[in-house]
Amino acid sequence: MIRGGRSQVSSPPAFSNDAKRLLVCTGNTVSIFSTSTGLQITSLEGHTAEVTTVIVEPAASKVLCYCWTASLDGSIKYWDFSVPELLKTVDIKLPIFSMVIPSLLGQPTERNEKQHNVFAYVSVEDTREKTNPRKKKQPKPKPKPLHGRICKCNLTKACLAGGVTLAEMKVPEVITISPSGKYFGIRKHHKVLIWKVPDVESERVVMRKITLRHTKKMTVLAFHPTQRIVAAGDVTGRILIWRRFGDKTFATSERLGDGNMMGGDEERPGVRDNDDADSCTTWHWHPSQVNVLNFSSDGAYLYSGGKEGVLVVWQLDTGKKKFLPRIGSPLLYFTYSPDPSLSSMSCADNQIHLLKMPSMEILKSISGIKLACSLPEGYEALCSGIAFDQTAGLVALRTENYCIQFYSLLDDRSISEVQVCERNYQPGDDVTVVVTLVALSQDSSMMGTAEIKIAEDGIGGLVCLKFWATGSQNKDFSLSTIIYEPHRDAGISAIAFHPTSQVAVSSSYGGDFKVWVNHDQFQQKDPMLQNSGWSCHAVGSYKKKAMTAAAFSADGSVLAVAAETLITLWDPDKNVLVAVIGETLTPIMSLSFVGKSENLVATSRGAKSQLSVWSMSQLSASWSYMLQIEASAQDTSSFAALALLPESLRCKGLNGTTFQGRDGVILLFNATDPVPVASWSVRKAKGGSLAFLQVNPSSIQEYISDGKPPQTLLAYINADHEYVLFDPYGKETHELSVIHRDDLQASEESGQHGYASIYGELPEFQLNKKQAIWTPLAPTEKPWETIFNGSSHNLPPLTKLCSVFLESLLEKRTGVVE
Amino acid sequence: MAKELPPKTTPGKSFLVKPKLKPKARTLSQTPESKYWSSFKTQQIPNLISSINSISFSQTPPHLFAAAHSASLTLFSSQTLSQHSVISSFKDVVSCSSFRSDGSLLAASDLSGLIQVFDVKTRTPLRRLKSHARPVHFVQYPSLDKLHVVSGGDDGIVKYWDVASENVVLDLFGHKDYVRCGDCSPVNAEMFVTGSYDHTVKLWDVRVENSRSVMEVNHGKPIEDVMFLPSGGLFATAGGNSVKIWDLIGGGKMLYSMESHNKTVTSICLGRLGNENGEEAMQYRILSVALDGYMKVFDYINMKITHSMRFPAPLMSVAFSPDGMTRVIGTSNGSIFAGRRKKKENEESGLVNFWSIGRVEEPQKRLLRPTYFRYFQRGQSEKPNESDYLVVRPKKLKLGEHDKLLKKFRHKEALVCVLNGKNPENVVAVMEELVARRKLLKCVSNLDDEELGMLLSFLQKHSTVPRYSGLLMGLMKKVLEMRAEDIKASDILKNHIRNLKRSVEEEIRIQHSLQEIQGIISPLLRIAGRR
């Protein structure tokens, strides 16, 4: 089994002490990436739930590679991540959402002299209360029980410090610690709570706490590395900076210049109520919620970022700003490394950018699988599908920034991105352009995409069909043909490629389908025929019904197009209707032929959703199930379907503990047999996708610990684009462990000398500039319909029209059936 | 040499607002040859009286050309296409003219039957050849003979003149109708062809005793023009709607009949592709003009029409300069379309070289090396050395005015800016971008009266164009809804609306008639589909 596609941005990453490695929480594991190559080196595996915190133990020598991790499975683990090896586990049995260890940031030498207890402060969710609420007798039944709490944990003795609960919240909050390790704080609604870490740690030391108030909900918190300054961001985009907080409360332990101690209320501008701070200033640039707030390591600058995807650098003394714009995705975290010239920035689109610091230049991007794009109301039905490159093990995903991302399922990394629409994506803006469909041909040399420009108040809507082709050497797709409004203004429901020749079909909700032919192959024969793009070969419709799905048979001799509830079978070359079979109860959403067999799988969605298998030889239904099918995949003789569990069954399943939070089932069928061969239950099935991958056995040999590598793998991608690959036919599930190559590490160790160490590497010059893509365009309509369209002065003379018209009569026949 | 650090890379790219791509024709819209023929920059010379009966070029540089119109013969310079001089000592309408091979004499005939020979420089009539009883439509100097002239008249007689003595050497009988055209062989001084309205072309040889035609071919229509092809073995005839190629050596066999004109072909001439010093191979073409206003270029080797060009009047005559630089077409309404190719650069550069010979060679500068003191004092204007490592400054992205405004989110200004421009595609592209930003309607509501007028006139012009109508029709409706008050208040805007209404009505009428056509065609289609 190969798992992957996890979110890299669920929690902040951490740099190793030599800043050559980046530790990223990816689901249940911590992945370690090289900062120089951007590739994964190794991973720390051991947690059974999502890892929420990773803290690298600072050390004077750069060789030491120890880190603490905390996870939702309620354990804290201590690792040597250079090996990687698990050293210690502390189980506190409560899901940990955040953890800080102040003593690590103090003086490490002190610790070495005599063995102190190491204390961590953890933000946990108290699940005990929820599971057996009757045992604890609460004096007042609160409307909202406070589940989140901040606890203290003795890591040396591996237990929670008894009875110490610093704060209680409705939901567990993220704890922020100051770089000096003297203070830590949380945000709680409109307040910021700050504690001072006691000088001498013991289990029951009294913690001093101050509260800073604001009128808006706070979102993020940051401490100045040296001075007592705290910055906080709120939902409206304001950044508040309190200077000299805690003068009164924390003063006893820390001697300050007495001259500054005024105590007069009138001397504290901007500070609310009786809050313990000297002054509070507000900066407002961000138009929406501030997500990122971080002081630079010397404390001169403040980095902030938010939903709009711009990193802002504030000069702390003057308030002057510098920007890194067009990141293209909301920012989530900003982390700086021990190396002052390197820092990282995590974005919501599952990317981590490594920044070269003073110039804020993006050095490398570690991009994970992109998340499914959100769609405006009413357009969800138009979008569907994730395309798979079955031989190379790639998946093509539509992303929010008008790209198609190619992601390698076997290597768990992003291969390339193809910009489909020439637009800049701005995170916060209304969605006006959506890439709705992506389809790959069987040899994945061609790609078809469909996009919709959403009309403003009924004007300016546009549907575009684009065909892409790969160059012979590189895997990059280049635009071959754009077709504006291929089916007038109707949306495209499906694109399917012919398995062998350069033919594609697009079906539309407007009631017709078109067969497109690429003229590439004729180019050599006739030099006068310059147009190498795709053009319309035939148009078909059936009783003006919306065409909802299309598929070619394995040998390409039959084209099946779903006309709402019926399936129409066509000869794609002659464009002749061969047969009509049907019907299903609700409109068909997808069609697919099962391998080379004579069976056609149709899935329909709606009130009476259905999975039905049709026999082509008898032209009738073989068998069907009333199941809501989310996706299906075909192998040579069998197929797999991802079925959503009905609501009733899901409730029942909870009691029977068969489906714990799982809402879908993958069923593997033999096409002739209605009894499923195998089934697997899965989570987050809504919006998921399935595919069989015909993988070259040698390429996955290294992933398999023992046994013969399987010929085919079934890939399942869930709604969050996490995926799993497994052998559907295997008797026992092969436990495929991802072994990452260690040779990636060797290359990055070579240090830089001389010029390069001072000024950095000379930039590489790309001598071969990308040539402008010449994109021909095919006429979108039937010729005999368009030649008479338009005003008379645009019409060519009758002599020209006549020949075109008659020619069109000779070449094409519409198979309109009334 | 490193002066500048590479600029900060930003993750996003900036995409310009571009108009939609246009479909490319399946075949090339312009073959290299049609590109050549359209490279003649056509210039109209108007205001000549009556139709241009004949145009002839002088064989010697500077290649003057003579246009016969009404009762005068105008000489033009083929370099500047300006009028050089006028010969007007004619009693009747001038029908034909011909330069002698050395370009010093010019023979011209008129409808009174008189043929005059002029000195081109002084424009004085030197000889008057008077023998034809009826109007003469054809006179020509043989290309290899300076002493004789051939003429043909409406009396059906072809005459061979000795110019010096003003005597007819030979009267050639045989044509049964008007002789309207003829041509002398390019390889033989004694042979020529004449074409007549009796549908025949006769080949004459003055060496033949009995003054009979050597050969005769029948075109089938009254012959308007006849021409030898450069080899002398082929000739072309024009009559009716067709141009026919005949093989002379093969005994008068017809090789090809080109019938692509819709009306009578009035004149043909020999065109040449490429120039002598160019690397393109010299190829000859037949240029034919007809009353349907088309000039066609015919490749008589591949027997194919290679170019076709339309003029706004019936065409009467055509001529092509011997140097291949000028093409002149005369029309029936008294204007000349003269086209001239641009001179190649190398001719001018030759001139520069001539002048640069005299320049004094400057002493060569000593190469700067890092060991020299001056090496460290180089200024900003210092040119990079070959061995220097050049830090390439990235190319600056050129932004249009509207792109700049859109980048600054000044949406209305961007819209007004493109409306001021000429290109409707850009306007539509900016409108589409505004739709994508959900700002188009806001822009429309913010336009002031003058800008609204601009928008309305744009909509009036282009909303019925099929490529834009999808967007513009909807927009027009919205504009009228939103700005009804403003439009009512202003007379200018009302005027625009009136125009708009008119063009919409026009479009509706067109659509109706197109639907009628569709109604006729759809049964045909149905039958074709049932096949």
Side-chain angles (χ1 to χ4, degrees):
Chain A
M1 217 164 356
I2 302 173
R3 288 181 183 277
R6 279 112 164 198
S7 170
Q8 300 177 344
V9 293
S10 55
S11 28
F15 280 98
S16 68
N17 285 325
D18 54 359
K20 282 183 178 164
R21 271 165 277 186
L22 183 68
L23 284 75
V24 180
C25 303
T26 50
N28 300 355
T29 62
V30 174
S31 302
I32 300 174
F33 290 91
S34 157
T35 56
S36 52
T37 59
L39 296 173
Q40 190 173 355
I41 300 166
T42 178
S43 65
L44 309 179
E45 288 163 26
H47 282 290
T48 55
E50 199 176 307
V51 180
T52 51
T53 311
V54 55
I55 301 167
V56 174
E57 196 166 300
S61 75
K62 290 183 174 180
V63 193
L64 288 175
C65 301
Y66 298 108
C67 71
W68 292 91
T69 59
S71 155
L72 290 183
D73 63 3
S75 62
I76 299 166
K77 287 179 198 277
Y78 187 53
W79 309 81
D80 182 350
F81 61 83
S82 60
V83 182
E85 191 182 15
L86 177 61
L87 299 176
K88 185 177 179 182
T89 303
V90 177
D91 202 351
I92 62 166
K93 298 191 178 62
L94 290 174
I96 304 165
F97 282 82
S98 181
M99 173 177 77
V100 292
I101 306 172
S103 59
L104 292 183
L105 299 164
Q107 284 74 37
T109 47
E110 200 179 302
R111 253 183 339 115
N112 294 346
E113 288 168 7
K114 62 177 180 180
Q115 198 63 37
H116 269 284
N117 288 342
V118 179
F119 286 96
Y121 296 89
V122 290
S123 168
V124 297
E125 185 175 23
D126 197 346
T127 48
R128 287 172 298 189
E129 207 171 333
K130 195 169 70 181
T131 47
N132 42 7
R134 281 178 201 167
K135 270 189 178 176
K136 254 190 181 174
K137 280 170 189 165
Q138 290 176 328
K140 277 183 201 169
K142 286 177 188 171
K144 281 181 184 172
L146 299 170
H147 291 316
R149 44 187 82 214
I150 305 286
C151 296
K152 196 171 177 179
C153 176
N154 189 334
L155 294 176
T156 321
K157 287 182 186 165
C159 64
L160 276 180
V164 181
T165 301
L166 296 172
E168 288 192 328
M169 299 140 293
K170 283 175 194 158
V171 281
E173 286 288 351
V174 174
I175 312 175
T176 314
I177 190 162
S178 75
S180 59
K182 284 177 181 162
Y183 309 97
F184 65 92
I186 58 161
R187 59 207 152 77
K188 189 179 175 186
H189 300 295
H190 300 177
K191 283 179 279 185
V192 173
L193 306 180
I194 298 171
W195 287 271
K196 184 178 185 323
V197 177
D199 288 341
V200 185
E201 285 268 33
S202 67
E203 294 229 349
R204 306 216 172 233
V205 75
V206 180
M207 304 280 287
R208 292 166 194 272
K209 178 180 98 174
I210 62 161
T211 308
L212 299 169
R213 290 171 191 85
H214 182 47
T215 52
K216 299 281 174 351
K217 193 173 184 307
M218 310 299 281
T219 53
V220 69
L221 194 65
F223 288 93
H224 193 277
T226 50
Q227 289 165 290
R228 274 192 296 161
I229 298 174
V230 64
D234 72 4
V235 286
T236 59
R238 287 184 178 82
I239 299 167
L240 293 102
I241 296 166
W242 285 281
R243 289 166 199 270
R244 302 174 62 84
F245 62 88
D247 265 356
K248 291 177 202 157
T249 320
F250 303 150
T252 49
S253 57
E254 192 176 323
R255 282 277 158 251
L256 289 158
D258 282 11
N260 291 348
M261 294 282 282
M262 289 296 183
D265 285 358
E266 73 279 0
E267 292 281 337
R268 305 188 302 163
V271 180
R272 282 175 195 283
D273 300 342
N274 222 359
D275 286 353
D276 194 359
D278 230 21
S279 68
C280 175
T281 47
T282 305
W283 286 339
H284 197 177
W285 181 86
H286 292 280
S288 56
Q289 178 175 329
V290 182
N291 288 336
V292 170
L293 214 51
N294 217 327
F295 285 94
S296 65
S297 51
D298 60 350
Y301 297 96
L302 176 68
Y303 299 99
S304 72
K307 202 186 167 192
E308 68 288 321
V310 179
L311 183 68
V312 186
V313 186
W314 305 82
Q315 203 174 1
L316 198 61
D317 295 334
T318 58
K320 279 183 183 162
K321 299 181 287 287
K322 239 171 80 182
F323 303 99
L324 175 64
R326 286 185 190 161
I327 294 162
S329 184
L331 303 184
L332 293 179
Y333 313 108
F334 182 88
T335 318
Y336 52 80
S337 72
D339 180 0
S341 68
L342 190 71
S343 60
S344 85
M345 181 169 68
S346 303
C347 297
D349 62 353
N350 210 359
Q351 268 195 321
I352 298 174
H353 299 293
L354 295 170
L355 297 182
K356 186 179 168 181
M357 229 19 237
S359 60
M360 291 206 293
E361 196 181 323
I362 291 182
L363 289 173
K364 278 270 168 351
S365 292
I366 302 167
S367 51
I369 201 161
K370 294 279 171 81
L371 298 177
C373 46
S374 64
L375 295 167
E377 283 293 312
Y379 288 91
E380 290 96 338
L382 288 174
C383 297
S384 64
I386 291 170
F388 290 89
D389 180 349
Q390 300 191 330
T391 47
L394 297 183
V395 60
L397 301 155
R398 298 172 288 116
T399 66
E400 208 147 18
N401 54 349
Y402 321 119
C403 285
I404 300 289
Q405 186 192 26
F406 285 88
Y407 196 85
S408 168
L409 296 176
L410 297 171
D411 294 341
D412 195 12
R413 64 191 182 93
S414 174
I415 301 291
S416 61
E417 271 185 41
V418 177
Q419 182 90 32
V420 175
C421 308
E422 291 210 323
R423 289 188 66 76
N424 270 320
Y425 176 69
Q426 180 56 32
D429 280 2
D430 292 352
V431 180
T432 56
V433 180
V434 191
V435 180
T436 55
L437 286 174
V438 57
L440 283 172
S441 67
Q442 205 151 49
D443 58 348
S444 71
S445 65
M446 293 172 288
M447 177 170 75
T449 59
E451 68 200 56
I452 292 184
K453 202 181 236 179
I454 296 163
E456 177 190 14
D457 235 348
I459 57 172
L462 184 72
V463 181
C464 263
L465 177 64
K466 287 180 180 172
F467 287 105
W468 305 76
T470 44
S472 49
Q473 301 298 318
N474 53 348
K475 277 303 252 182
D476 276 353
F477 279 93
S478 59
L479 188 56
S480 157
T481 309
I482 306 179
I483 299 146
Y484 300 110
E485 304 197 309
H487 301 276
R488 296 170 187 278
D489 50 354
I492 301 170
S493 56
I495 305 168
F497 281 95
H498 193 281
T500 49
S501 59
Q502 301 207 335
V503 173
V505 62
S506 68
S507 62
S508 86
Y509 295 107
D512 60 343
F513 72 88
K514 287 188 178 179
V515 178
W516 307 90
V517 175
N518 190 2
H519 286 284
D520 233 2
Q521 61 258 49
F522 307 125
Q523 203 176 10
Q524 286 85 23
K525 290 176 193 163
D526 190 357
M528 288 299 283
L529 212 66
Q530 288 291 311
N531 196 335
S532 66
W534 292 76
S535 60
C536 184
H537 169 68
V539 186
S541 66
Y542 183 76
K543 290 187 179 172
K544 301 238 160 68
K545 286 190 177 184
M547 299 293 194
T548 48
F552 279 102
S553 68
D555 56 351
S557 60
V558 181
L559 167 65
V561 183
E564 288 181 349
T565 57
L566 297 166
I567 301 167
T568 58
L569 302 175
W570 303 75
D571 180 343
D573 299 326
K574 296 181 186 136
N575 197 34
V576 178
L577 181 66
V578 180
V580 180
I581 49 177
E583 60 189 317
T584 56
L585 298 167
T586 44
I588 294 168
M589 292 311 292
S590 77
L591 277 180
S592 47
F593 284 89
V594 180
K596 296 210 163 35
S597 71
E598 45 160 41
N599 293 295
L600 177 67
V601 179
T603 64
S604 58
R605 238 177 266 174
K608 290 176 175 171
S609 26
Q610 202 174 7
L611 167 72
S612 49
V613 177
W614 304 80
S615 163
M616 287 298 101
S617 57
Q618 286 149 25
L619 294 177
S620 63
S622 304
W623 50 271
S624 72
Y625 276 108
M626 285 287 252
L627 276 176
Q628 195 178 346
I629 299 298
E630 191 64 31
S632 65
Q634 295 74 39
D635 200 4
T636 45
S637 63
S638 53
F639 70 95
L642 173 63
L644 295 183
L645 290 177
E647 221 35 71
S648 55
L649 190 66
R650 222 175 294 168
C651 299
K652 210 167 71 186
L654 258 179
N655 298 338
T657 64
T658 35
F659 305 111
Q660 280 171 330
R662 302 181 177 204
D663 58 351
V665 172
I666 300 172
L667 300 166
L668 182 70
F669 289 101
N670 204 332
T672 50
D673 188 10
V675 180
V677 178
S679 70
W680 301 269
S681 66
V682 291
R683 291 169 203 275
K684 294 179 195 160
K686 180 108 183 110
S689 189
L690 276 181
F692 280 97
L693 302 181
Q694 268 83 31
V695 183
N696 185 13
S698 63
S699 69
I700 57 164
Q701 190 86 55
E702 55 194 292
Y703 297 113
I704 297 158
S705 42
D706 58 332
K708 215 174 67 183
Q711 285 295 316
T712 47
L713 289 173
L714 184 61
Y716 163 65
I717 295 188
N718 73 6
D720 289 349
H721 288 177
E722 292 168 357
Y723 64 83
V724 59
L725 307 182
F726 57 96
D727 177 17
Y729 306 116
K731 286 276 175 287
E732 73 250 280
T733 331
H734 287 287
E735 202 54 51
L736 309 183
S737 58
V738 181
I739 301 160
H740 283 278
R741 282 136 282 186
D742 290 327
D743 50 349
L744 297 176
Q745 206 172 358
S747 62
E748 38 121 9
E749 299 292 347
S750 62
Q752 290 173 329
H753 305 284
Y755 178 80
S757 63
I758 300 168
Y759 298 108
E761 291 276 2
L762 284 169
E764 284 176 31
F765 292 98
Q766 288 208 318
L767 290 171
N768 45 346
K769 281 177 193 134
K770 247 197 174 174
Q771 289 188 338
I773 309 156
W774 176 68
T775 48
L777 189 100
T780 61
E781 304 289 336
K782 301 180 209 173
W784 56 84
E785 280 186 353
T786 45
I787 49 179
F788 298 114
N789 275 357
S791 39
S792 62
H793 54 85
N794 281 353
L795 282 179
L798 203 62
T799 48
K800 281 189 182 170
L801 274 183
C802 206
S803 62
V804 172
F805 168 65
L806 289 174
E807 211 171 285
S808 69
L809 274 187
L810 287 174
E811 276 177 11
K812 296 161 193 167
R813 277 193 293 176
T814 38
V816 180
V817 177
E818 298 282 338
Chain B
M1 284 311 292
K3 284 170 256 173
E4 199 172 305
L5 280 169
K8 199 169 68 182
T9 51
T10 48
K13 282 170 268 177
S14 54
F15 297 110
L16 303 184
V17 173
K18 275 180 284 188
K20 283 187 200 165
L21 300 172
K22 274 190 219 161
K24 283 249 165 73
R26 180 50 48 86
T27 52
L28 271 186
S29 62
Q30 265 204 330
T31 57
E33 183 162 347
S34 66
K35 211 169 177 180
Y36 172 83
W37 290 113
S38 10
S39 73
F40 287 87
K41 295 278 162 280
T42 308
Q43 181 180 335
Q44 192 177 0
I45 305 169
N47 301 331
L48 300 175
I49 309 147
S50 173
S51 74
I52 316 297
N53 291 325
S54 136
I55 297 167
S56 59
F57 268 97
S58 160
Q59 292 297 317
T60 54
H63 302 298
L64 293 179
F65 67 90
H69 62 97
S70 184
S72 58
L73 191 65
T74 312
L75 298 180
F76 292 90
S77 152
S78 73
Q79 253 75 37
T80 58
L81 303 179
S82 58
Q83 192 169 317
H84 182 267
S85 53
V86 181
I87 302 168
S88 49
S89 54
F90 294 98
K91 298 259 163 50
D92 209 333
V93 174
V94 183
S95 57
C96 188
S97 65
S98 172
F99 280 94
R100 201 168 77 171
S101 57
D102 59 358
S104 58
L105 293 185
L106 173 69
S109 62
D110 62 26
L111 296 191
S112 68
L114 178 69
I115 299 165
Q116 299 180 79
V117 177
F118 299 93
D119 183 354
V120 173
K121 286 215 179 83
T122 59
R123 304 194 298 282
T124 47
L126 301 177
R127 294 287 185 276
R128 294 160 63 85
L129 313 178
K130 203 167 161 56
S131 167
H132 280 289
R134 302 291 302 274
V136 177
H137 277 276
F138 161 62
V139 62
Q140 194 168 29
Y141 264 107
S143 49
L144 302 171
D145 185 2
K146 291 183 179 174
L147 304 174
H148 299 93
V149 158
V150 182
S151 71
D154 283 1
D155 47 10
I157 309 169
V158 178
K159 289 178 192 282
Y160 188 65
W161 300 81
D162 178 36
V163 178
S165 61
E166 301 187 350
N167 284 336
V168 179
V169 178
L170 272 174
D171 274 329
L172 302 165
F173 301 97
H175 280 297
K176 299 185 187 74
D177 208 337
Y178 306 153
V179 177
R180 282 287 163 97
C181 54
D183 194 19
C184 298
S185 167
V187 291
N188 192 327
E190 281 90 21
M191 292 176 85
F192 51 90
V193 289
T194 54
S196 148
Y197 274 14
D198 62 0
H199 304 185
T200 60
V201 173
K202 288 182 193 290
L203 174 72
W204 308 95
D205 190 338
V206 292
R207 293 166 298 190
V208 173
E209 288 292 306
N210 54 7
S211 69
R212 281 270 172 79
S213 66
V214 179
M215 194 194 288
E216 178 182 323
V217 294
N218 194 334
H219 182 88
K221 283 276 165 61
I223 292 169
E224 296 288 348
D225 206 354
V226 61
M227 172 183 73
F228 268 105
L229 296 178
S231 65
L234 301 177
F235 67 96
T237 59
N241 298 349
S242 61
V243 175
K244 292 183 179 174
I245 317 280
W246 307 87
D247 186 359
L248 198 62
I249 298 161
K253 196 175 68 177
M254 191 180 81
L255 294 180
Y256 191 78
S257 172
M258 185 269 278
E259 301 182 11
S260 67
H261 282 287
N262 294 322
K263 284 186 181 169
T264 305
V265 182
T266 50
S267 178
I268 53 178
C269 80
L270 198 69
R272 215 179 58 204
L273 206 59
N275 44 3
E276 289 123 288
N277 44 9
E279 54 285 345
E280 304 159 78
M282 290 259 283
Q283 285 186 25
Y284 290 98
R285 299 281 185 269
I286 297 172
L287 308 186
S288 62
V289 294
L291 293 179
D292 58 5
Y294 276 96
M295 183 205 76
K296 307 241 173 190
V297 180
F298 182 72
D299 178 0
Y300 62 85
I301 292 160
N302 299 320
M303 301 299 176
K304 234 160 74 179
I305 301 273
T306 53
H307 185 63
S308 167
M309 208 168 166
R310 207 197 128 91
F311 291 91
L315 306 179
M316 296 299 291
S317 50
V318 63
F320 198 78
S321 77
D323 63 350
M325 296 299 287
T326 319
R327 181 200 62 206
V328 187
I329 293 169
T331 66
S332 67
N333 60 7
S335 57
I336 290 178
F337 292 99
R340 185 160 174 78
R341 283 185 71 203
K342 273 198 189 133
K343 265 244 163 60
K344 282 272 161 62
E345 299 294 317
N346 51 14
E347 290 165 48
E348 284 151 35
S349 65
L351 257 173
V352 172
N353 283 343
F354 170 74
W355 285 111
S356 65
I357 291 167
R359 210 163 52 185
V360 185
E361 287 287 318
E362 277 178 41
Q364 230 178 1
K365 270 188 184 172
R366 284 177 70 194
L367 210 63
L368 284 177
R369 297 254 171 72
T371 46
Y372 299 159
F373 173 66
R374 265 190 25 241
Y375 178 82
F376 297 98
Q377 286 196 316
R378 292 165 305 165
Q380 275 193 322
S381 56
E382 185 71 25
K383 295 277 183 298
N385 212 341
E386 271 176 33
S387 56
D388 281 336
Y389 179 79
L390 215 67
V391 178
V392 185
R393 196 174 298 194
K395 229 181 202 174
K396 207 182 162 193
L397 195 66
K398 269 209 170 159
L399 291 176
E401 189 64 31
H402 56 270
D403 274 320
K404 280 183 199 155
L405 290 168
L406 281 174
K407 266 186 114 165
K408 291 175 190 157
F409 303 97
R410 288 160 66 183
H411 296 130
K412 192 196 84 169
E413 279 96 327
L415 183 61
V416 171
C417 164
V418 280
L419 282 172
N420 276 325
K422 290 272 187 300
N423 194 348
E425 286 174 6
N426 277 348
V427 181
V428 174
V430 167
M431 282 177 176
E432 276 168 353
E433 174 62 25
L434 291 178
V435 166
R437 296 185 183 193
R438 295 279 177 272
K439 288 288 181 293
L440 182 58
L441 296 184
K442 188 145 234 178
C443 281
V444 168
S445 63
N446 286 342
L447 293 175
D448 65 25
D449 273 4
E450 198 182 324
E451 292 156 355
L452 186 62
M454 262 161 42
L455 179 64
L456 286 175
S457 66
F458 173 80
L459 288 175
Q460 183 242 317
K461 262 186 220 153
H462 295 107
S463 61
T464 54
V465 176
R467 286 185 61 208
Y468 315 134
S469 58
L471 172 68
L472 295 187
M473 293 279 195
L475 176 65
M476 191 156 72
K477 229 184 249 173
K478 286 278 172 209
V479 171
L480 295 184
E481 267 172 33
M482 289 163 65
R483 305 297 298 263
E485 295 299 316
D486 298 301
I487 291 166
K488 273 179 202 158
S490 160
D491 277 339
I492 305 164
L493 295 183
K494 270 192 214 160
N495 221 351
H496 280 303
I497 296 297
R498 222 166 289 134
N499 291 339
L500 194 63
K501 211 174 158 189
R502 208 177 306 129
S503 64
V504 167
E505 277 164 3
E506 173 72 22
E507 184 62 25
I508 288 171
R509 214 176 307 129
I510 291 166
Q511 292 296 337
H512 273 304
S513 49
L514 286 175
Q515 272 175 353
E516 280 167 23
I517 295 172
Q518 205 168 18
I520 299 164
I521 287 167
S522 56
L524 292 173
L525 270 180
R526 191 54 59 76
I527 293 162
R530 215 174 284 154
R531 216 172 19 168

